[in-house]
């Protein structure tokens, strides 16, 4: 018998039985299908009322679209996009005061900054090139558009090691800020988000998002286990890894066999309708079979994280609690694959990068 359960979906009929709720977003006047547990989780974790959570999702979506349009139009003058929760608008940074009115005319708040995103990304590239020379105390680095700087994180009391690394990299020190942390990030292994699957009959990881022919998941699940035959949450033969990368990146594509049908939903019924990247400051939620919905906000992008097992670049930093789960989603837009973190910070690898690298297409619900 063909199994249609994938990412926790019992059957397509569950959606019509109340698994998904139609919500009319005030800003856009359009109906968006949201899992009924998402809004209560946003209320709990972000301190919002029901109506505030619905309004925020609508304004975040609008802000992301405005920001992406301006990024393409501004080119080298684009200094970054953040979401201003107080105003519900996109905040777009520019390197020239002459562009302020253009940003405002597009419906966004404007901020004049010193560095463009391309300059900050270039600094991250330089740091990445020297990654092997960095002390173990230096745990991560990446672009923080809110401060218009590259943030370098180092263990408490060892800032000198981070300063030495930056100086040797050739990066302009004025474009960098240092943050001290109590713990180094570590990979999350036996998490239960998305649906659990097993590698070689023993190691356990979590499904990220359903794609053409299979699903995306964290690359370290393949790289650190030696691979092997995959079985699903129910121990039914599932398939095998087709491609993966870790370290450097943290994604894998698992091709499923005829026992399984990829479905455009995650395991609590939330429909996946696309992969538009949400702005820094926007809310992001994770579904886990242990903790259910947990939500937080996107803190920074283009993050380089140094795990003991290897370094991963181009990740996204969030403060969403992550002891369980493989799928990060904002509204109905897939965001990324859970990679790792510490007790405060969580990193996910962007799903758009994983899709491009694997040549797969997101299955939409």
């Amino acid at each position: 018998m063909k199994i249609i359960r994938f990412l926790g979906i019992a059957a397509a009929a569950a959606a019509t039985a109340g698994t998904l709720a139609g919500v009319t977003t005030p800003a856009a006047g359009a109906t968006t299908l949201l899992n009924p547990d998402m809004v209560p989780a946003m209320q709990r974790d972000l301190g919002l009322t029901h109506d505030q959570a619905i309004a925020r999702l609508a304004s975040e979506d609008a802000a992301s679209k405005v920001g992406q349009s301006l990024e393409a139009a501004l080119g080298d003058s684009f200094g970054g996009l953040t979401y201003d929760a107080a105003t519900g608008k996109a905040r777009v940074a520019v390197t020239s005061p002459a562009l302020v009115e253009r940003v405002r005319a597009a419906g966004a708040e404007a901020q004049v900054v010193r560095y463009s995103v391309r300059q900050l990304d270039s600094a991250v590239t330089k740091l990445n090139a020297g990654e092997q020379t960095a002390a173990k105390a230096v745990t991560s680095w990446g672009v923080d558009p809110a401060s218009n700087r590259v943030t370098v994180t180092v263990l408490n009391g060892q800032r000198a090691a981070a300063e030495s690394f930056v100086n040797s990299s050739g990066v302009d020190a004025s474009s960098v800020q240092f943050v001290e942390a109590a713990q180094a990030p570590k990979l999350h292994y036996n998490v239960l988000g998305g649906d659990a699957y097993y590698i070689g009959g023993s190691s356990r990881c979590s499904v990220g998002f359903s794609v053409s022919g299979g699903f995306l998941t964290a690359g370290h699940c393949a790289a650190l286990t030696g691979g092997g035959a995959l079985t699903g949450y129910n121990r039914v033969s599932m398939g095998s890894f087709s491609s993966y990368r870790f370290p450097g990146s943290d994604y894998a594509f698992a091709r499923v066999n005829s026992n399984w049908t990829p479905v455009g939903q995650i395991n609590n019924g939330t429909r996946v309708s696309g992969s538009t990247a949400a702005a820094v400051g926007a809310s992001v939620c994770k579904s886990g079979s242990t903790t259910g919905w947990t939500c937080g906000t996107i803190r920074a992008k283009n993050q380089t994280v140094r795990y003991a097992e290897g370094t991963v670049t181009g990740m996204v930093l969030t403060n969403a609690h992550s002891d369980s789960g493989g799928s990060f989603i904002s509204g109905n837009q897939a965001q990324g694959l859970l990679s790792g973190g510490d007790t405060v910070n969580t990193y996910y690898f962007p799903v758009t990068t994983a899709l491009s690298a694997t040549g797969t297409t997101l299955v939409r619900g």
Side-chain angles (χ1 to χ4, degrees):
M1 180 178 67
K2 192 172 185 179
I3 299 172
I4 63 171
R5 187 181 191 279
F6 191 77
L7 299 181
I9 307 307
T16 60
T19 301
L20 300 178
V23 177
T24 300
T25 55
T31 298
T32 301
L33 292 179
L34 299 173
N35 182 277
D37 292 331
M38 178 183 280
V39 171
M42 291 179 68
Q43 292 177 242
R44 180 195 68 225
D45 294 346
L46 300 178
L48 304 173
T49 66
H50 177 275
D51 289 347
Q52 286 172 337
I54 297 300
R56 176 161 179 162
L57 286 169
S59 62
E60 287 174 352
D61 182 62
S64 296
K65 291 175 180 175
V66 169
Q68 287 186 343
S69 176
L70 285 170
E71 180 177 7
L74 296 171
D76 287 336
S77 298
F78 180 72
L81 167 67
T82 59
Y83 172 75
D84 188 338
T87 63
K89 291 185 176 182
R91 177 178 292 164
V92 174
V94 292
T95 57
S96 171
L99 295 171
V100 168
E101 289 306 317
R102 183 174 180 180
V103 170
R104 290 174 177 167
E109 299 172 347
Q111 179 184 11
V112 179
V113 296
R114 178 175 177 180
Y115 300 102
S116 71
V117 164
R118 290 181 183 177
Q119 287 175 309
L120 295 177
D121 282 342
S122 177
V124 170
T125 299
K126 288 183 179 179
L127 293 175
N128 289 348
E131 184 269 331
Q132 299 269 339
T133 68
K136 290 184 178 180
V138 182
T139 62
S140 68
W141 54 82
V143 175
D144 176 17
S147 65
N148 193 233
R149 294 292 185 275
V150 171
T151 297
V152 176
T153 306
V154 63
L155 295 179
N156 287 342
Q158 301 190 56
R159 174 168 171 160
E163 292 176 340
S164 175
F165 170 55
V166 170
N167 290 336
S168 65
S169 71
V171 169
D172 178 3
S174 64
S175 68
V176 175
Q177 63 180 1
F178 298 96
V179 174
E180 294 192 5
Q183 296 180 341
K186 58 183 179 180
L187 292 171
H188 291 283
Y189 290 106
N190 300 321
V191 293
L192 302 173
D195 262 0
Y197 68 93
Y198 299 88
I199 307 159
S202 57
S203 300
R204 182 174 181 167
C205 270
S206 299
V207 172
F209 291 96
S210 189
V211 298
S212 50
F215 62 89
L216 296 179
T217 185
H220 68 262
C221 293
L224 302 182
T225 61
L230 306 182
T231 54
Y233 70 96
N234 52 6
R235 299 291 186 166
V236 171
S237 173
M238 194 175 204
S240 61
F241 290 117
S242 177
S243 62
Y244 65 88
R245 185 177 176 192
F246 178 88
S249 299
D250 197 3
Y251 65 81
F253 168 46
R255 189 176 298 278
V256 298
N257 57 33
S258 59
N259 291 332
W260 299 82
T261 300
V263 174
Q265 295 179 344
I266 58 176
N267 66 351
N268 53 19
T270 298
R271 181 175 63 91
V272 178
S273 63
S275 55
T276 300
V280 170
S283 61
V284 66
C285 293
K286 170 204 61 64
S287 172
S289 58
T290 299
T291 56
W293 275 104
T294 58
C295 300
T297 56
I298 296 172
R299 307 302 294 274
K301 297 188 177 183
N302 193 12
Q303 301 290 296
T304 297
V305 182
R306 304 180 74 208
Y307 299 118
E309 297 84 354
T311 297
V312 180
T313 64
M315 291 211 284
V316 178
L317 170 65
T318 174
N319 60 359
H321 185 54
S322 63
D323 64 340
S324 174
S327 312
F328 277 91
I329 193 164
S330 184
N332 292 118
Q333 299 296 311
Q335 298 298 310
L337 312 167
L338 172 63
S339 177
D342 52 36
T343 56
V344 177
N345 302 305
T346 297
Y347 298 94
Y348 64 78
F349 192 79
V351 69
T352 51
T353 305
L355 289 168
S356 177
T358 57
T360 56
T361 302
L362 193 69
V363 174
R364 304 187 182 202

